[in-house]
Amino acid sequence: MQSNQHSSFWFQEAIARESNATVQALEQDIHADVCIVGGGFTGLWTAIQLKQKQPSLNIAVIEKELCGSGASGRNGGCMLTWSTKFLSLKKLYGEAEAKRLVKASEQAIDEIEAFCQEFQIDAQLRRHGTLYTASNAAQLGGLDSVLNELKRHSISSWQPWTKEKVQAESGSALHQEGHFSEAAASVQPGLLVRGLKRVAEETGVAIYERTPMTGIEKKQQPVCITTPKGRIRAGKVVLALNAWMPSLFPEFKNSVVLVSSDMMITKPIPEKLAKTGLKDGKTVIDGRTFVHYYRTTPEGRLMLGKGGNYFSFANRMSKVFDEPSRYQQILNAAFHRFFPSLPLELIDSTWTGASDRSATGMPFFGRLKENPDIVYGLGYSGNGVAQSWMGGQILASLVLGENNTWTRSGLVSGPLASFPPEPLRWFGALIIRNAIRRKEKAEDHHRRPRWLDCQLAKLASSAGKADKG
């Protein structure tokens, strides 16, 4: 079985372990109780959780390429919680729901780890926590507001580390301060999503890969979904398309903006990494708006990524997202700044992932207005490896018509804000991105940023991994 030659290192590695696997495409008309469109984390977690709740359900999953070939197999594999977004959660959903969602995001990591152990998914999941840092003086104290609020509510435990410990544990002298949380993990996302596919099939879910949805009759009951060689009539439909949603459903064209997260990975260099101090799988995230993030793999590779680079005009799924990173110069510069002792020749490959960022920085779920039997979820905003487990819980509960904390959640309100229409969105995104770049470059060089750049940067505050004071 072959994958896209320009997909991520993670996905290539995962597919290489399935040399004898075959691909089943839909080639006839079928009926299903539930049809799930999209074979990534959200779609597969939904299928599995539906089967766990109601084993008799006839569930079909269709995926236009291979399961996990989209964003689920291309991210950095950083399993983070929503604790650092508590201020945003509180503003959007209220204090009680914010507390519940932070705790649920922490529980998601426990659940995913237990699931991998139960079903023997070797996803290289390592519970070594996460370290949020300040990589220049301007970022110092950036987390104080949200961490003080978390402490006041006794929600989550973050530990301040000394500068010396931060630099020793992060492998880089660039970091000036840091806070550590055990409630996080790193994972090989390609192996995880392919493991979910295997488990879903073992529970009786029918999965059809290389089967794109070419049409959907939204107002019909049962809903009819067309594919190149067959139609599916389903009582319930789950749209788990994430970044591909706006191009297929125009009602969401202003609900998200598609932006790249670009990543690189080194060759195996365990001895060199050990000399830097990187000795486990913790994720390290700096205090930028569009953060740098990095972590190691069990075989001694170093992955480094940077968000907020390419913005897609009209949310088109550009070929850029299927190519090696066109921002390798930015990645190289970050790699050299964090790890000056490591030569650039150690970089093995780069890739690009599409992130569907919502205006609030939070995913949203709901039912299509034309047909309440069609449910959807998208907008993870670059923080969905653990949260997609929660998304599966929400979508499974919506399909079954349950009245529980998931269906009553503030997340199940559809999009709570929108972006301007094109071309204002695209031009605005580039103006803000460039202002952020200038601002952070000035801060890296200990210069005062321009006032206008600082004001423009504030417009992207929801895009960060953490709420800032």
Side-chain angles (χ1 to χ4, degrees), residues 134-221:
S135 56
N136 61 41
Q139 296 170 17
L140 293 172
L143 283 179
D144 288 353
S145 295
V146 67
L147 295 186
N148 288 338
E149 191 72 358
L150 289 170
K151 184 177 180 180
R152 186 170 75 86
H153 291 283
S154 301
I155 299 173
S156 183
S157 176
W158 283 79
Q159 308 167 25
W161 280 2
T162 65
K163 179 178 178 180
E164 292 74 21
K165 185 171 184 179
V166 169
Q167 293 180 346
E169 293 277 347
S170 69
S172 175
L174 192 65
H175 301 292
Q176 304 301 303
E177 75 173 7
H179 293 82
F180 176 79
S181 173
E182 293 181 348
S186 61
V187 71
Q188 209 283 31
L191 292 175
L192 176 58
V193 70
R194 297 302 294 180
L196 294 182
K197 174 185 180 285
R198 170 180 63 80
V199 174
E201 290 179 319
E202 289 174 353
T203 61
V205 175
I207 297 180
Y208 302 98
E209 297 179 293
R210 298 205 167 112
T211 302
M213 179 180 71
T214 56
I216 180 171
E217 297 177 17
K218 294 184 284 188
K219 296 182 180 180
Q220 186 172 311
Q221 183 52 256

Coordinates of all heavy atoms in Angstrom, one line a residue, residues 134-221:
A134 N 9.3 30.7 27.7 CA 9.6 32.0 27.1 C 10.9 32.0 26.4 O 11.9 31.7 27.1 CB 9.6 33.1 28.2
S135 N 11.0 32.2 25.1 CA 12.2 32.1 24.4 C 12.8 33.5 24.1 O 13.8 33.6 23.4 CB 12.0 31.3 23.1 OG 11.0 31.9 22.3
N136 N 12.2 34.5 24.7 CA 12.9 35.8 24.7 C 12.3 36.6 25.9 O 11.3 36.2 26.5 CB 12.7 36.6 23.3 CG 11.3 36.8 23.0 OD1 10.5 37.2 23.8 ND2 10.9 36.7 21.7
A137 N 12.9 37.7 26.2 CA 12.5 38.5 27.3 C 11.0 39.0 27.3 O 10.3 39.1 28.3 CB 13.4 39.7 27.5
A138 N 10.6 39.3 26.0 CA 9.2 39.8 25.9 C 8.2 38.8 26.3 O 7.0 39.1 26.6 CB 9.0 40.3 24.5
Q139 N 8.5 37.5 26.2 CA 7.5 36.5 26.5 C 7.5 36.1 28.0 O 6.6 35.4 28.5 CB 7.9 35.2 25.8 CG 7.8 35.3 24.3 CD 8.3 34.1 23.5 OE1 8.5 33.1 24.1 NE2 8.6 34.3 22.2
L140 N 8.4 36.7 28.8 CA 8.4 36.4 30.2 C 7.1 36.8 30.9 O 6.6 37.9 30.7 CB 9.6 37.2 30.9 CG 11.0 36.7 30.5 CD1 12.1 37.7 31.1 CD2 11.3 35.3 31.0
G141 N 6.6 35.9 31.7 CA 5.4 36.2 32.4 C 4.1 36.1 31.6 O 3.0 36.4 32.1
G142 N 4.2 35.7 30.4 CA 3.1 35.6 29.5 C 2.0 34.7 30.0 O 0.8 34.9 29.6
L143 N 2.4 33.6 30.7 CA 1.4 32.7 31.2 C 0.8 33.0 32.6 O -0.1 32.3 33.0 CB 2.0 31.3 31.3 CG 2.2 30.5 30.0 CD1 2.8 29.2 30.2 CD2 0.9 30.3 29.3
D144 N 1.3 34.1 33.2 CA 0.9 34.3 34.6 C -0.6 34.4 34.8 O -1.1 33.8 35.7 CB 1.6 35.6 35.1 CG 3.1 35.4 35.3 OD1 3.6 34.3 35.2 OD2 3.8 36.4 35.5
S145 N -1.3 35.1 33.9 CA -2.7 35.3 34.1 C -3.5 34.0 34.1 O -4.3 33.8 35.0 CB -3.3 36.3 33.0 OG -2.7 37.6 33.2
V146 N -3.2 33.2 33.1 CA -4.0 32.0 33.0 C -3.6 31.0 34.1 O -4.4 30.3 34.7 CB -3.9 31.3 31.6 CG1 -2.5 30.8 31.3 CG2 -4.9 30.2 31.4
L147 N -2.3 30.9 34.4 CA -1.9 30.0 35.5 C -2.4 30.4 36.8 O -2.7 29.5 37.7 CB -0.3 29.9 35.5 CG 0.3 29.3 34.2 CD1 1.8 29.1 34.4 CD2 -0.4 27.9 33.9
N148 N -2.4 31.7 37.1 CA -3.0 32.2 38.4 C -4.5 31.8 38.5 O -5.0 31.5 39.5 CB -2.8 33.7 38.5 CG -1.4 34.1 38.8 OD1 -0.6 33.2 39.2 ND2 -1.0 35.3 38.5
E149 N -5.2 31.9 37.4 CA -6.6 31.6 37.4 C -6.8 30.1 37.6 O -7.7 29.7 38.3 CB -7.3 32.1 36.1 CG -8.8 32.0 36.0 CD -9.4 33.1 36.9 OE1 -8.7 33.9 37.5 OE2 -10.7 33.1 36.9
L150 N -6.0 29.3 36.9 CA -6.1 27.8 37.1 C -5.8 27.5 38.6 O -6.5 26.7 39.2 CB -5.1 27.1 36.2 CG -5.4 27.1 34.7 CD1 -4.2 26.6 34.0 CD2 -6.6 26.2 34.5
K151 N -4.8 28.1 39.2 CA -4.5 27.9 40.6 C -5.6 28.3 41.5 O -5.9 27.6 42.5 CB -3.2 28.6 40.9 CG -2.7 28.3 42.4 CD -1.4 29.1 42.6 CE -0.9 28.8 44.0 NZ 0.4 29.5 44.3
R152 N -6.3 29.4 41.2 CA -7.4 29.9 42.0 C -8.5 28.9 42.0 O -9.2 28.8 43.0 CB -7.8 31.3 41.5 CG -8.9 31.9 42.4 CD -9.1 33.4 41.9 NE -9.9 33.4 40.7 CZ -11.2 33.4 40.7 NH1 -11.9 33.3 41.8 NH2 -11.9 33.5 39.6
H153 N -8.7 28.2 40.9 CA -9.8 27.3 40.8 C -9.4 25.8 41.1 O -10.2 24.9 41.0 CB -10.4 27.3 39.4 CG -11.2 28.6 39.1 ND1 -12.4 28.8 39.7 CD2 -10.9 29.7 38.4 CE1 -12.9 30.0 39.2 NE2 -11.9 30.6 38.5
S154 N -8.1 25.6 41.4 CA -7.6 24.3 41.7 C -7.9 23.3 40.6 O -8.3 22.2 40.9 CB -8.1 23.8 43.1 OG -7.8 24.7 44.1
I155 N -7.7 23.8 39.4 CA -8.1 23.0 38.2 C -7.0 22.1 37.8 O -7.1 20.9 37.5 CB -8.6 23.8 37.1 CG1 -9.8 24.6 37.5 CG2 -8.9 23.0 35.8 CD1 -10.2 25.7 36.5
S156 N -5.8 22.7 37.6 CA -4.7 22.0 37.0 C -3.4 22.4 37.6 O -3.2 23.5 38.1 CB -4.6 22.3 35.5 OG -3.6 21.6 34.8
S157 N -2.5 21.4 37.7 CA -1.2 21.7 38.4 C -0.1 21.9 37.4 O 0.3 21.1 36.5 CB -0.8 20.4 39.2 OG 0.4 20.6 39.8
W158 N 0.4 23.2 37.4 CA 1.6 23.6 36.6 C 2.7 23.9 37.6 O 2.5 24.6 38.6 CB 1.3 24.7 35.7 CG 0.5 24.4 34.5 CD1 -0.9 24.2 34.4 CD2 1.0 24.2 33.2 NE1 -1.2 23.8 33.2 CE2 -0.1 23.8 32.4 CE3 2.3 24.3 32.6 CZ2 0.0 23.6 31.0 CZ3 2.4 24.0 31.3 CH2 1.3 23.7 30.5
Q159 N 3.9 23.5 37.2 CA 5.1 23.8 38.1 C 6.0 24.8 37.4 O 6.4 24.5 36.3 CB 5.8 22.5 38.4 CG 5.0 21.3 38.9 CD 5.8 20.0 38.8 OE1 7.0 20.0 38.8 NE2 5.1 18.9 38.7
P160 N 6.3 25.9 38.1 CA 7.4 26.8 37.6 C 8.7 26.1 37.7 O 9.0 25.6 38.8 CB 7.2 28.0 38.4 CG 6.6 27.5 39.7 CD 5.8 26.4 39.4
W161 N 9.5 26.1 36.7 CA 10.9 25.6 36.8 C 11.9 26.8 36.8 O 11.6 27.8 36.2 CB 11.2 24.7 35.6 CG 10.6 23.3 35.7 CD1 9.9 22.8 36.8 CD2 10.7 22.2 34.8 NE1 9.5 21.5 36.5 CE2 10.0 21.1 35.3 CE3 11.3 22.1 33.5 CZ2 10.0 19.9 34.7 CZ3 11.3 20.9 32.9 CH2 10.6 19.8 33.5
T162 N 13.0 26.5 37.4 CA 14.1 27.5 37.3 C 14.6 27.6 35.9 O 14.5 26.7 35.1 CB 15.2 27.1 38.3 OG1 15.8 25.9 37.8 CG2 14.8 26.9 39.7
K163 N 15.2 28.7 35.6 CA 15.8 28.9 34.3 C 16.8 27.8 34.0 O 16.8 27.3 32.8 CB 16.4 30.3 34.2 CG 17.1 30.6 32.9 CD 17.7 32.0 32.9 CE 18.4 32.4 31.6 NZ 19.0 33.7 31.6
E164 N 17.6 27.5 34.9 CA 18.6 26.4 34.7 C 18.0 25.1 34.4 O 18.4 24.4 33.5 CB 19.5 26.3 36.0 CG 20.4 27.5 36.2 CD 19.6 28.7 36.8 OE1 18.5 28.5 37.3 OE2 20.1 29.8 36.7
K165 N 16.9 24.7 35.1 CA 16.2 23.5 34.8 C 15.5 23.5 33.5 O 15.5 22.5 32.7 CB 15.2 23.1 35.9 CG 14.6 21.8 35.7 CD 13.7 21.4 36.9 CE 13.2 19.9 36.7 NZ 12.4 19.5 37.9
V166 N 14.9 24.6 33.1 CA 14.3 24.8 31.8 C 15.2 24.5 30.7 O 15.0 23.8 29.8 CB 13.6 26.1 31.7 CG1 13.1 26.4 30.3 CG2 12.4 26.3 32.6
Q167 N 16.4 25.2 30.8 CA 17.4 25.0 29.7 C 18.0 23.6 29.7 O 18.2 23.1 28.6 CB 18.5 26.1 29.9 CG 18.0 27.5 29.7 CD 19.1 28.5 30.0 OE1 20.2 28.2 30.5 NE2 18.8 29.8 29.5
A168 N 18.1 23.0 30.8 CA 18.7 21.7 30.9 C 17.7 20.7 30.3 O 18.1 19.8 29.5 CB 19.1 21.3 32.3
E169 N 16.4 20.8 30.7 CA 15.4 19.8 30.3 C 14.9 20.0 28.8 O 14.5 19.1 28.2 CB 14.2 19.9 31.2 CG 14.5 19.4 32.6 CD 14.4 17.9 32.8 OE1 13.9 17.2 31.9 OE2 14.9 17.4 33.8
S170 N 15.0 21.3 28.4 CA 14.5 21.6 27.0 C 15.6 21.4 26.0 O 15.3 21.4 24.8 CB 14.0 23.0 26.9 OG 15.1 23.9 27.1
G171 N 16.8 21.3 26.4 CA 17.9 21.1 25.5 C 18.4 22.3 24.8 O 19.2 22.3 23.8
S172 N 17.9 23.5 25.2 CA 18.2 24.8 24.6 C 18.4 25.9 25.6 O 17.6 26.1 26.5 CB 17.1 25.2 23.6 OG 17.4 26.4 23.0
A173 N 19.5 26.6 25.4 CA 19.8 27.8 26.2 C 19.0 29.0 25.8 O 19.1 30.0 26.5 CB 21.3 28.1 26.2
L174 N 18.2 28.9 24.8 CA 17.4 30.0 24.3 C 16.2 30.3 25.3 O 15.8 31.5 25.4 CB 16.8 29.7 22.9 CG 16.2 30.9 22.2 CD1 17.2 31.9 21.8 CD2 15.5 30.4 20.9
H175 N 15.8 29.3 26.0 CA 14.6 29.5 26.9 C 15.0 30.3 28.1 O 15.9 29.9 28.8 CB 14.0 28.2 27.2 CG 13.5 27.4 26.0 ND1 12.5 27.8 25.2 CD2 14.0 26.2 25.5 CE1 12.3 26.9 24.2 NE2 13.3 26.0 24.3
Q176 N 14.1 31.2 28.5 CA 14.4 32.1 29.6 C 13.6 31.7 30.9 O 14.0 32.1 32.0 CB 14.1 33.6 29.3 CG 14.9 34.0 28.0 CD 16.4 33.9 28.2 OE1 16.9 34.5 29.2 NE2 17.0 33.2 27.4
E177 N 12.5 31.1 30.7 CA 11.7 30.6 31.8 C 10.7 29.5 31.3 O 10.6 29.3 30.1 CB 10.8 31.7 32.5 CG 9.6 32.1 31.7 CD 8.7 33.1 32.4 OE1 9.1 33.6 33.5 OE2 7.6 33.4 31.9
G178 N 10.1 28.8 32.2 CA 9.2 27.7 31.8 C 8.3 27.2 32.9 O 8.7 27.3 34.1
H179 N 7.2 26.7 32.5 CA 6.3 26.0 33.4 C 6.0 24.6 32.8 O 5.7 24.5 31.6 CB 5.0 26.8 33.5 CG 5.2 28.1 34.1 ND1 5.6 29.3 33.5 CD2 5.0 28.5 35.4 CE1 5.7 30.3 34.3 NE2 5.3 29.9 35.5
F180 N 5.9 23.6 33.7 CA 5.8 22.2 33.3 C 4.5 21.7 33.8 O 4.1 22.0 34.9 CB 7.0 21.4 33.8 CG 6.9 19.9 33.5 CD1 7.2 19.5 32.3 CD2 6.4 19.1 34.5 CE1 7.1 18.1 32.0 CE2 6.3 17.7 34.2 CZ 6.6 17.2 33.0
S181 N 3.9 20.8 33.0 CA 2.7 20.1 33.4 C 2.8 18.6 33.0 O 3.3 18.3 31.9 CB 1.4 20.7 32.7 OG 0.3 19.8 33.0
E182 N 2.4 17.8 33.9 CA 2.5 16.3 33.6 C 1.3 15.9 32.8 O 1.3 14.8 32.2 CB 2.5 15.5 34.9 CG 3.7 15.7 35.8 CD 3.7 14.9 37.0 OE1 2.6 14.3 37.4 OE2 4.8 14.7 37.7
A183 N 0.3 16.7 32.7 CA -0.9 16.4 31.9 C -0.8 16.6 30.4 O -1.4 17.5 29.9 CB -2.1 17.1 32.5
A184 N 0.1 15.9 29.8 CA 0.4 16.0 28.4 C 1.2 14.8 28.0 O 1.8 14.1 28.8 CB 1.1 17.3 28.1
A185 N 1.3 14.6 26.6 CA 2.0 13.5 26.1 C 2.5 13.8 24.7 O 2.1 14.8 24.1 CB 1.2 12.2 26.1
S186 N 3.3 12.9 24.2 CA 3.7 13.0 22.8 C 3.3 11.6 22.2 O 3.3 10.6 22.9 CB 5.2 13.3 22.5 OG 6.0 12.3 23.1
V187 N 3.0 11.6 20.9 CA 2.6 10.4 20.2 C 3.0 10.4 18.7 O 3.2 11.5 18.2 CB 1.0 10.3 20.3 CG1 0.3 11.3 19.5 CG2 0.5 8.9 20.0
Q188 N 3.1 9.3 18.2 CA 3.4 9.2 16.7 C 2.0 9.2 16.1 O 1.3 8.2 16.1 CB 4.1 7.9 16.4 CG 5.0 8.0 15.1 CD 4.2 7.9 13.8 OE1 3.1 8.3 13.7 NE2 4.9 7.3 12.8
P189 N 1.5 10.3 15.5 CA 0.1 10.4 15.1 C -0.3 9.5 14.0 O -1.4 9.0 13.9 CB -0.1 11.9 14.7 CG 1.3 12.3 14.4 CD 2.2 11.6 15.3
G190 N 0.7 9.2 13.1 CA 0.3 8.3 12.0 C 0.1 6.9 12.5 O -0.9 6.2 12.1
L191 N 0.9 6.4 13.5 CA 0.6 5.1 14.1 C -0.6 5.1 14.9 O -1.4 4.1 14.9 CB 1.8 4.7 15.0 CG 3.2 4.4 14.2 CD1 4.3 4.2 15.3 CD2 3.0 3.3 13.3
L192 N -1.0 6.2 15.5 CA -2.2 6.2 16.3 C -3.4 6.1 15.4 O -4.3 5.3 15.6 CB -2.3 7.5 17.2 CG -3.6 7.7 17.9 CD1 -3.8 6.5 18.9 CD2 -3.5 9.0 18.7
V193 N -3.5 6.9 14.4 CA -4.7 6.9 13.5 C -4.8 5.6 12.7 O -5.9 5.1 12.6 CB -4.6 8.1 12.5 CG1 -3.6 8.0 11.5 CG2 -6.0 8.4 11.9
R194 N -3.7 5.0 12.3 CA -3.8 3.7 11.7 C -4.2 2.6 12.6 O -4.9 1.7 12.3 CB -2.5 3.4 11.0 CG -2.1 4.3 9.9 CD -3.1 4.4 8.7 NE -3.3 3.2 8.0 CZ -4.1 3.0 7.0 NH1 -4.8 4.0 6.6 NH2 -4.2 1.8 6.3
G195 N -3.8 2.8 13.9 CA -4.3 1.8 14.9 C -5.8 2.0 15.2 O -6.5 1.0 15.4
L196 N -6.3 3.2 15.2 CA -7.7 3.4 15.3 C -8.5 2.8 14.2 O -9.6 2.2 14.4 CB -8.0 4.9 15.4 CG -7.5 5.7 16.6 CD1 -8.0 7.1 16.5 CD2 -8.0 5.1 17.9
K197 N -8.0 2.9 13.0 CA -8.6 2.2 11.8 C -8.7 0.7 12.1 O -9.8 0.1 11.8 CB -7.8 2.5 10.5 CG -8.3 1.7 9.3 CD -7.5 1.9 8.1 CE -8.0 1.1 6.9 NZ -7.7 -0.3 7.0
R198 N -7.6 0.1 12.5 CA -7.6 -1.3 12.7 C -8.7 -1.7 13.8 O -9.4 -2.7 13.6 CB -6.2 -1.8 13.2 CG -6.2 -3.3 13.7 CD -4.9 -3.7 14.1 NE -4.3 -3.0 15.3 CZ -4.6 -3.2 16.5 NH1 -5.6 -4.1 16.8 NH2 -4.1 -2.5 17.5
V199 N -8.7 -1.0 14.9 CA -9.6 -1.3 16.0 C -11.1 -1.1 15.5 O -11.9 -1.9 15.8 CB -9.4 -0.4 17.2 CG1 -10.4 -0.7 18.3 CG2 -8.0 -0.8 17.8
A200 N -11.3 0.0 14.7 CA -12.7 0.2 14.2 C -13.1 -1.0 13.4 O -14.3 -1.4 13.5 CB -12.7 1.5 13.4
E201 N -12.2 -1.4 12.5 CA -12.6 -2.6 11.6 C -12.8 -3.8 12.5 O -13.8 -4.6 12.2 CB -11.5 -2.8 10.6 CG -11.5 -1.7 9.5 CD -10.4 -1.9 8.5 OE1 -9.3 -2.3 8.9 OE2 -10.7 -1.7 7.3
E202 N -12.0 -4.0 13.5 CA -12.2 -5.2 14.3 C -13.5 -5.2 15.1 O -14.1 -6.3 15.4 CB -11.0 -5.3 15.3 CG -9.7 -5.7 14.6 CD -8.5 -5.6 15.6 OE1 -8.7 -5.2 16.8 OE2 -7.4 -6.1 15.2
T203 N -14.1 -4.0 15.3 CA -15.4 -3.9 16.0 C -16.5 -4.0 15.1 O -17.7 -3.9 15.5 CB -15.5 -2.6 16.8 OG1 -15.4 -1.5 15.9 CG2 -14.4 -2.5 17.9
G204 N -16.3 -4.1 13.8 CA -17.3 -4.3 12.8 C -17.6 -3.1 12.0 O -18.6 -3.1 11.2
V205 N -16.9 -2.0 12.1 CA -17.1 -0.8 11.2 C -16.5 -1.1 9.8 O -15.4 -1.6 9.7 CB -16.3 0.4 11.8 CG1 -16.5 1.6 10.9 CG2 -16.9 0.7 13.2
A206 N -17.3 -0.8 8.8 CA -16.9 -0.9 7.4 C -16.2 0.4 7.0 O -16.8 1.4 7.1 CB -18.1 -1.2 6.5
I207 N -14.9 0.2 6.6 CA -14.1 1.4 6.2 C -13.8 1.3 4.7 O -13.2 0.3 4.3 CB -12.9 1.5 7.1 CG1 -13.2 1.8 8.5 CG2 -12.0 2.7 6.5 CD1 -12.1 1.9 9.5
Y208 N -14.1 2.4 4.0 CA -13.9 2.4 2.6 C -12.9 3.6 2.3 O -13.2 4.7 2.4 CB -15.2 2.6 1.8 CG -16.2 1.5 2.0 CD1 -17.2 1.8 2.9 CD2 -16.1 0.3 1.4 CE1 -18.2 0.8 3.2 CE2 -17.0 -0.7 1.6 CZ -18.1 -0.5 2.5 OH -19.0 -1.4 2.8
E209 N -11.7 3.2 1.9 CA -10.6 4.2 1.6 C -10.6 4.5 0.1 O -11.2 3.7 -0.7 CB -9.3 3.7 2.1 CG -9.2 3.5 3.6 CD -7.8 3.1 4.1 OE1 -7.5 1.9 3.8 OE2 -7.2 3.8 4.8
R210 N -10.0 5.6 -0.2 CA -10.0 6.0 -1.6 C -11.4 6.1 -2.2 O -11.7 5.7 -3.3 CB -9.0 5.2 -2.5 CG -7.6 5.3 -2.0 CD -6.5 5.0 -3.0 NE -5.2 5.4 -2.6 CZ -4.2 4.5 -2.3 NH1 -4.4 3.2 -2.4 NH2 -3.1 5.0 -1.8
T211 N -12.2 6.6 -1.3 CA -13.7 6.7 -1.7 C -14.1 8.1 -1.3 O -14.7 8.4 -0.2 CB -14.5 5.7 -0.9 OG1 -14.0 4.3 -1.2 CG2 -16.0 5.8 -1.3
P212 N -13.9 9.1 -2.2 CA -14.3 10.5 -1.8 C -15.8 10.7 -1.9 O -16.5 10.0 -2.7 CB -13.6 11.3 -2.9 CG -13.4 10.4 -4.0 CD -13.2 9.0 -3.5
M213 N -16.4 11.5 -1.1 CA -17.7 11.9 -1.3 C -17.8 12.9 -2.4 O -17.2 14.0 -2.4 CB -18.2 12.6 0.0 CG -19.7 13.1 -0.1 SD -20.3 13.9 1.5 CE -19.4 15.4 1.4
T214 N -18.6 12.6 -3.4 CA -18.8 13.5 -4.6 C -20.1 14.2 -4.5 O -20.3 15.2 -5.3 CB -18.8 12.6 -5.9 OG1 -19.8 11.6 -5.8 CG2 -17.4 12.0 -6.1
G215 N -21.0 13.9 -3.6 CA -22.2 14.6 -3.5 C -23.0 14.1 -2.3 O -22.8 13.0 -1.8
I216 N -23.9 15.0 -1.8 CA -24.7 14.6 -0.6 C -26.1 15.3 -0.8 O -26.2 16.5 -1.1 CB -24.1 15.0 0.7 CG1 -25.0 14.6 1.9 CG2 -23.7 16.4 0.8 CD1 -24.3 14.7 3.3
E217 N -27.2 14.5 -0.7 CA -28.5 15.0 -0.7 C -28.9 15.3 0.7 O -29.5 14.4 1.4 CB -29.4 14.0 -1.4 CG -29.1 13.8 -2.9 CD -29.9 12.7 -3.5 OE1 -31.0 12.5 -3.0 OE2 -29.5 12.2 -4.6
K218 N -28.7 16.6 1.1 CA -28.8 16.9 2.6 C -30.2 16.9 3.1 O -30.5 16.6 4.3 CB -28.2 18.3 2.8 CG -26.7 18.3 2.6 CD -26.1 19.7 2.9 CE -26.4 20.7 1.9 NZ -25.7 22.0 2.1
K219 N -31.2 17.2 2.2 CA -32.6 17.3 2.7 C -33.4 16.0 2.5 O -34.6 16.0 2.8 CB -33.3 18.4 1.9 CG -32.7 19.8 2.1 CD -33.4 20.9 1.4 CE -32.8 22.2 1.6 NZ -33.5 23.3 0.9
Q220 N -32.7 15.0 2.1 CA -33.4 13.7 1.9 C -33.3 12.8 3.2 O -32.3 12.9 3.9 CB -32.7 13.0 0.7 CG -33.4 11.7 0.3 CD -32.8 11.2 -1.0 OE1 -32.7 11.9 -2.0 NE2 -32.5 9.9 -1.0
Q221 N -34.3 11.9 3.4 CA -34.2 11.0 4.5 C -34.6 9.6 3.9 O -35.7 9.5 3.4 CB -35.1 11.4 5.6 CG -35.1 10.5 6.8 CD -33.7 10.2 7.4 OE1 -33.2 9.1 7.1 NE2 -33.1 11.2 8.0

